[in-house]
Amino acid sequence: ASIKLEGGTLELGSPETIDIRVSANGEVRLDWKVKAIKEGIARITISAIGQQDSDAMQMEFPVYVHGMDKLQSWAGVVKGATETATFTIDVPADRKVSTADLTVQVSPTMMGTLLDALPYLIEYPYGCVEQTMSRFMPAVAVAKTLQDTGTNLEEVGKRRQLAYADLHPDKDPVFHTKALEHIVEEGLARLYGFQNSAGGWGWWTSDKIDPFITAYVVNGLRIAKLSGAPVDEGRFQSAIAALKANLTTEQDLHRATYCAYVLAECNALDKKAIEHLYERRGDMNSYGRALLAMALFLNKDKEKAEVAIRNMEDFVKVDEKAGLAWWDREDKWSWWYWYGDDIEGNSAILRAYLMVDAKNANVPRLAKWLLANREGVRWKSTRDTAHAMLALLEYAKVAGELSPEYTADVEVDGKLLKSFGVTSENVLTLNGETGVKGDALATGKHTITIRKSGKGTAYWSVYLKYFTTEEDLPAGSSKLSVSRAVYKLTPKVVETNENGRKVKRMEYDREKLASGAKVISGDLLEIEMTIDAPNDYEYLVFEDFKAAGVEPTEVVSGRVWGAVDSNREFRDEKVAFFVDWMPRGKHVISYKARAEIPGSFHAMPVNGYAMYAPSVRAISDEFRITIEDKPKDPVSK
């Protein structure tokens, strides 16, 4: 029997060929020990050559390098005739050198920066109702805007396709019409599948109607319809009816205001409902007042809409020197809820201005603030990225950015990296990307400078990506903490007396394992995550990256009942847990797994984060485990 390893990812630690004798109708187990030495795909071929018969099998497996991806980003706008932006980055030594990637992007129009965010939305790995909507809604809106300006999507996407191919050679970006049509069709079909019999949506398929989630989907379908997508009119009208029927059940003031705004966009809002919300505007934050202003304006009440805008302006922050305006979180701006997200909130405020008071001095300042607060090519989550893109698309339509004439120079440590010439002819097709990769990016501090001369605006973003190779990654927390414990479960039969009858049931003794502990192949384990939440949170995700030799005893993903989490997804390298609502305090999520493959393995930290407030995040300690084969029974001579 022989083993053959291909791909350069595994190193064989045993003889390649083993001679064995198999008795008639018998079997023999063989083990080859290997060491993971490089990430990639391992192609393994096993063959058995007998005196008369032979057989072979080939399979492929992913090999992951130890460590985690890290991203640092900066963004801003250079607007003056001779303006410069300068800042310093620090490249750490403790990294995988080949993964280091410093990228600088310069775009003469907001449209370019918005197109760069599309792959992030399309590739987001999970698929609840909100992410499904956030995937295709901005895509159709961007395509429609380009179509209105007479611009071909394929032509505009050329530079981004080239850049994207370097980063993801195995994936097809979304910068062509057929791919976009497929995304829209797939998104609509998935949303229809989530729609319940009452016409509305919850977060997942089997959830009851959630007025807020239903409003989000209705608004997305409305935008898709305006963009020419083939939305089923019957389902759309059924959803509007469900939203109207459930508006009165929504107890949260901000969620109710969002529902009212969406109904107003659909010309289906009752006057009595909007008047009730207007009377309570003093209990809203600025995000809520922005939604209220738009709902009032759409309901033909411009005077009250302007009052809501003035109420909102009591809390504006302005930096005259930097040309920025934004709204911080107020007392009623609970940042761990969706309506407390600063990106989403300021996006709604910009849209309210554009609808009610487009010439207000805060409009360009707020658009600049949103662009300056990107994280690389995107914002923080699928939801706030979608909202920021939609707001900035509306701004781009009235900003008049299609006739620039300037030169933008990108310098690293005082040396010119690349110079871009911008004109009205290439404003939408400019390939404004440059950078330094791999070992060309030395360890230590570097100064980045973006220098512009001429008429027009340069929107720039810089992001530094690398893979940290630090061993035994420690726990970390930001407004949330998570710890992971691994227990060995030993079964035992417990006999109890219930109503005069003896009842036997299986229970387990739990032995907590320290990192580096040894277990036997076949041992049952329990992985327990303890989450400490200092506030009430909505929509959390916890990803447990399991050790490679350990497999969950459950294999079917889906809805969970009677647990903190509402949905679980079992994947090859991790188990993901989704929490709709987590009240303040300590909570425990656990699942069972079995030690299987002998060897020494790492379990990377649990990664926990709030989907709509990514500053709420935490990781656990890394965990190591060694799995040994079951000892053989002694054989008598």
Side-chain angles (χ1 to χ4, degrees), residues 9-52:
T9 55
L10 300 179
E11 181 181 87
L12 186 60
S14 305
E16 183 177 312
T17 301
I18 304 174
D19 292 326
I20 57 171
R21 177 179 291 275
V22 184
S23 60
N25 301 313
E27 63 179 35
V28 174
R29 170 181 149 177
L30 296 177
D31 290 289
W32 283 274
K33 189 172 184 179
V34 298
K35 181 179 180 181
I37 58 173
K38 180 184 175 184
E39 65 180 322
I41 298 298
R43 183 179 295 110
I44 302 174
T45 306
I46 304 289
S47 60
I49 310 299
Q51 293 178 339
Q52 296 179 343

Side-chain angles (χ1 to χ4, degrees), residues 112-139:
T113 63
L114 299 183
L115 278 169
D116 288 331
L118 282 178
Y120 161 70
L121 290 172
I122 301 309
E123 291 173 6
Y124 193 78
Y126 302 119
C128 67
V129 170
E130 180 275 316
Q131 281 112 16
T132 302
M133 177 54 65
S134 294
R135 277 162 58 92
F136 87 92
M137 182 170 64

Side-chain angles (χ1 to χ4, degrees), residues 96-150:
K96 187 179 178 185
V97 174
S98 63
T99 65
D101 185 352
L102 171 66
T103 301
V104 182
Q105 293 179 327
V106 177
S107 176
T109 174
M110 230 173 266
M111 195 69 69
T113 63
L114 299 183
L115 278 169
D116 288 331
L118 282 178
Y120 161 70
L121 290 172
I122 301 309
E123 291 173 6
Y124 193 78
Y126 302 119
C128 67
V129 170
E130 180 275 316
Q131 281 112 16
T132 302
M133 177 54 65
S134 294
R135 277 162 58 92
F136 87 92
M137 182 170 64
V140 294
V142 169
K144 180 63 164 57
T145 303
L146 291 173
Q147 181 183 334
D148 290 344
T149 61

Side-chain angles (χ1 to χ4, degrees), residues 487-491 508-511 523-526 592-593:
Y487 295 89
K488 176 183 174 182
L489 302 183
T490 302
Y508 296 96
D509 288 326
R510 299 170 85 225
E511 176 191 353
D523 281 349
L524 185 63
L525 307 175
E526 185 171 36
K592 291 182 175 60

Side-chain angles (χ1 to χ4, degrees), residues 482-547:
V482 59
S483 61
R484 174 176 56 194
V486 180
Y487 295 89
K488 176 183 174 182
L489 302 183
T490 302
K492 63 180 181 181
V493 177
V494 177
E495 187 175 286
T496 59
N497 190 306
E498 296 183 9
N499 298 322
R501 292 190 316 131
K502 290 184 178 179
V503 178
K504 293 182 179 180
R505 60 168 54 88
M506 182 72 74
E507 294 185 0
Y508 296 96
D509 288 326
R510 299 170 85 225
E511 176 191 353
K512 187 174 182 179
L513 302 178
S515 181
K518 295 181 180 180
V519 297
I520 302 301
S521 178
D523 281 349
L524 185 63
L525 307 175
E526 185 171 36
I527 290 83
E528 183 178 274
M529 291 165 285
T530 301
I531 301 147
D532 192 353
N535 293 293
D536 297 340
Y537 292 125
E538 287 184 312
Y539 305 134
L540 302 173
V541 181
F542 295 90
E543 299 171 315
D544 181 43
F545 292 88
K546 63 184 183 61

